[in-house]
């Protein structure tokens, strides 16, 4: 079965073929003199992504997505501007028009991960003309049909790509924010994304990344991601008026030194024996040892085992707004800022692009926190006060217990934060406007849900008789059979009606942490692990605690899902934002029917 591809890629013949092809790829690519996706060396000063601002209400961007095999054998991906700079920050205001032309310049490079498949249409025709001899030899996946319509292609191959605008409330239709069918091939003309930022889009940090089922992990983990800022946070919260701001994109990538022993400065922990089916180091729950992935901060790598921190310089005592995106493929962050080893108070002002005072209470709210968790896909924006002269600071991520079957996310440094009178000011600064934002719909917490649904995460060995066989990943609507996401299915797993608000209980029946994410909308977290929470803000990604056999019941979260906005009409996805899980099938589809449709259409 197609959905069992993950198993198929593990049989010895396939492994041999893939290995042979990778060797061939290295040879072929060695001829490529030009480096498309250069990365700063470890320990560098953290560069700022280039800011692209809308002019007269329009932001036009020409991006090319490229990949290349790095000297260490890993495959890098990057979004490149015509001047060669990578992963620009797109800055727009509500009501602005974004016109983004994306050229696909991907070469076949990545080994297949999972779920790889092409358009199932048997009339799709022959493969496209080979662009090189390498192409013919290399292409394991059924290639996209020649000259297919990118809007209906549905091709899911290692060289297909598209864009998801994570967190934006734009319609799930082609040329806007649709990922189920939209697929752009390397031989095609640039594909145009064109949409207007909704007037009610909360101001804050969003992001863009590819979303091809089966290949998201390779592309995002290789570096294909960038930040998108909706301006106006100062209008929601006067506490940030006029502050200098930094965008910090934390990505993960394959280990540069996978065979190195842990640093001698770490306590000795039992050797890691557990690796998941993707080869990632399993959670040893000590806070130390080999991580599943290396991290980088604005592309400055902070590699295992010594984690040489990148460098951020701030004028002594200066207040700045830091907008932090976890663009990792599988790594949870648990951020903390130490000055001389003492955790500092971060003034949190926004989560997942939404000001924390969005419920309408307490205009000047700042949530103080000395540590803050950010799941893959999540964002946090906080006010930082720079260290006094002579004090050394360290931005780090603390370990995250991802469960018995989770990856290892140990304690590690990200960036040394030092006070310097001559520190270069960040390129962007929040405006001094305090003009109130438009009043949105009634606060979600005050709206009665039309119904309650239950969904659950689960995992199983693909061979039930062999617990060490690769894992199959499911995200199932309670009552339906657990099956991996099927990209060819035209039947949505859930149908809701626009205008409704629903409560969803997301349960975790697996022994690892998952991160629930839904496209198009934000939700309100009502209960976490059975404990009611009163969050005055919204999220678009949330951790669902892992199950332990000693527990009496499955852990869960309760979310209030908001389908009131007309832009939600259409079909889109919800999934685990650990992209190995998403690629492995932990995803489902939801159709939001127009409000006029009779209630009989809603199940
Ligand atoms: Cu997951």
């Amino acid at each position: 079965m197609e959905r069992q591809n993950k198993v198929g890629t593990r049989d010895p013949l396939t492994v041999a073929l893939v290995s042979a092809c990778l060797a061939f790829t290295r040879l072929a690519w060695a001829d490529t003199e030009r480096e498309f996706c250069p990365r700063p060396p470890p320990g560098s000063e953290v560069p700022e992504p280039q800011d692209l601002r809308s002019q007269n209400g329009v932001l036009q961007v020409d991006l090319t997505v490229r990949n290349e095999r790095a000297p260490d054998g890993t495959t890098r991906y990057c979004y490149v501007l015509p001047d060669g700079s990578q992963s620009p920050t797109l800055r727009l205001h509500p009501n602005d028009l974004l016109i983004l032309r994306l050229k696909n310049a991907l070469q076949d490079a990545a080994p297949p991960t999972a779920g790889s498949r092409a358009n199932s249409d048997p009339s799709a025709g022959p493969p496209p003309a080979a662009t090189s001899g390498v192409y013919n030899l290399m292409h394991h996946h059924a290639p996209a049909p020649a000259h297919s319509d990118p809007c209906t292609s549905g091709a899911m191959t290692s060289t297909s790509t598209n864009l998801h605008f994570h967190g934006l409330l734009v319609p799930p239709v082609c040329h806007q924010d649709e990922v189920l069918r939209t697929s752009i091939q390397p031989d095609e003309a640039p594909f145009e994304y064109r949409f207007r930022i909704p007037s009610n889009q909360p101001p804050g940090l969003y992001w863009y990344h590819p979303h091809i089922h089966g290949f998201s992990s390779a592309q995002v983990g290789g570096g294909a991601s960038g930040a998108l800022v909706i301006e106006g946070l100062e209008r929601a919260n006067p506490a940030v008026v006029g502050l200098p701001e930094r965008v910090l994109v934390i990505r993960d990538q394959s280990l540069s030194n996978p065979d190195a022993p842990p640093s001698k400065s770490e306590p000795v922990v039992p050797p890691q024996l557990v690796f998941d089916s993707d080869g990632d180091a399993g959670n040893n729950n000590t806070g130390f040892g080999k991580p599943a992935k290396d991290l980088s901060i604005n592309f400055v790598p902070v590699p295992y085992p010594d984690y040489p921190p990148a460098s951020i310089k701030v004028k002594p005592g200066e207040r700045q707004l830091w907008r932090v995106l976890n663009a990792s493929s599988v790594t949870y962050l648990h951020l903390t800022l130490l000055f001389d080893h003492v955790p500092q108070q971060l003034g949190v002002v926004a989560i997942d692009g939404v000001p924390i005072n969005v419920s309408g209470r307490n205009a000047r709210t700042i949530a103080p926190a000395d540590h803050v968790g950010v799941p893959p896909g999540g964002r946090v924006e906080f006010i930082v006060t720079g260290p006094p002269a002579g004090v050394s600071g360290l931005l780090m991520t603390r370990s995250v217990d991802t469960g018995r079957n989770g990856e290892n996310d140990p304690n590690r440094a990200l960036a040394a934060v030092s006070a310097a009178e001559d520190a270069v000011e960040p390129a962007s600064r929040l405006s001094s406007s305090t003009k109130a934002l438009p009043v949105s719909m009634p606060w979600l917490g005050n709206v009665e849900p039309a119904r309650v649904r239950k969904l659950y995460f689960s995992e199983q060995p693909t061979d039930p008789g062999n617990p060490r066989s690769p894992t199959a990943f499911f995200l199932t609507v309670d009552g339906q059979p657990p099956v991996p996401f099927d990209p060819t299915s035209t039947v949505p797993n859930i149908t809701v009606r626009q205008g409704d608000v629903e409560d969803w209980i997301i349960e975790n029946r697996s022994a690892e942490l998952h991160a629930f994410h839904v496209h198009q909308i934000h939700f309100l977290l009502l209960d976490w692990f059975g404990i009611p929470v009163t969050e005055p803000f919204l999220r678009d990604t949330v951790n669902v605690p892992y199950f332990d056999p000693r527990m009496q019941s499955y852990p869960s979260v309760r979310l209030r899902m908001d389908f009131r906005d007309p832009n939600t009409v259409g079909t889109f996805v919800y999934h685990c934002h650990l992209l190995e899980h998403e690629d492995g099938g932990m995803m489902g589809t939801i159709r939001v029917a127009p409000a006029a449709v009779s209630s009989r259409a809603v199940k």
Side-chain angles (χ1 to χ4, degrees), residues 101-261:
R101 281 181 293 258
L102 178 65
K103 172 61 188 166
N104 181 347
L106 295 179
Q107 298 174 271
D108 204 338
T113 49
S116 63
R117 55 168 302 115
N119 193 333
S120 63
D121 180 2
S123 65
T131 49
S132 71
V134 178
Y135 184 93
N136 264 344
L137 287 166
M138 286 298 302
H139 221 292
H140 311 292
H141 318 294
H147 312 299
S148 66
D149 177 356
C151 280
T152 56
S153 157
M156 290 167 194
T157 72
S158 65
T159 56
S160 305
T161 200
N162 60 10
L163 281 174
H164 170 47
F165 297 91
H166 184 123
L168 293 189
L169 220 183
V170 297
V173 300
C174 191
H175 300 286
Q176 300 202 47
D177 187 35
E178 199 285 325
V179 299
L180 282 164
R181 302 256 74 85
T182 306
S183 179
I184 309 156
Q185 310 314 316
D187 54 346
E188 291 171 357
F191 179 83
E192 186 177 272
Y193 285 90
R194 175 187 284 256
F195 56 82
R196 211 166 270 291
I197 304 297
S199 60
N200 59 344
Q201 186 73 53
L205 180 60
Y206 298 84
W207 63 300
Y208 55 92
H209 65 82
H211 208 293
I212 296 289
H213 180 61
F215 301 92
S216 294
S217 183
Q219 295 189 8
V220 174
S225 57
L228 188 156
V229 171
I230 303 298
E231 306 280 13
L233 187 55
E234 66 286 358
R235 295 170 58 194
N237 192 334
V240 299
V241 160
L243 289 186
E245 56 166 299
R246 271 174 205 279
V247 170
L248 299 173
V249 182
I250 297 169
R251 299 174 174 89
D252 63 6
Q253 59 192 50
S254 303
L255 294 175
S256 296
N257 310 301
D259 301 323

Side-chain angles (χ1 to χ4, degrees), residues 405-440:
N405 288 2
E407 272 91 13
N408 203 36
D409 290 341
N411 296 295
R412 46 188 148 160
L414 290 167
V417 181
S418 53
E421 288 292 351
D422 62 349
V424 178
E425 283 288 298
S428 281
R429 186 177 277 273
L430 289 136
S431 90
S432 57
S433 167
T434 52
K435 190 173 158 227
L437 290 165
V439 177
S440 203

Side-chain angles (χ1 to χ4, degrees), residues 169 199-204 206 232-233 235-238 348-367 381 437-446 522-525 534-540 560 562 564:
L169 220 183
S199 60
N200 59 344
Q201 186 73 53
Y206 298 84
L233 187 55
R235 295 170 58 194
N237 192 334
V348 177
V349 291
I351 302 274
D352 289 355
V354 179
I356 59 161
N357 54 0
V358 72
S359 71
R361 292 168 238 149
N362 305 328
R364 300 186 73 93
T365 299
I366 298 174
E381 297 169 74
L437 290 165
V439 177
S440 203
M441 287 183 263
W443 171 237
L444 189 54
N446 296 337
H522 280 76
F523 49 75
L524 175 64
L525 178 64
T534 47
E535 294 189 336
F537 56 89
L538 304 173
R539 300 174 181 262
D540 60 35
R560 186 149 297 164
D562 188 354
R564 290 176 293 175

Side-chain angles (χ1 to χ4, degrees), residues 332 457 459 473 508 510 512-516 575-582 586:
Y332 293 89
F457 289 109
E459 299 180 1
F473 296 96
N508 191 346
S510 78
E512 73 174 304
L513 198 57
H514 295 288
F516 178 83
H575 59 84
C576 178
H577 220 291
L578 276 78
L579 300 180
E580 292 169 357
H581 301 177
E582 178 204 315
M586 216 167 228

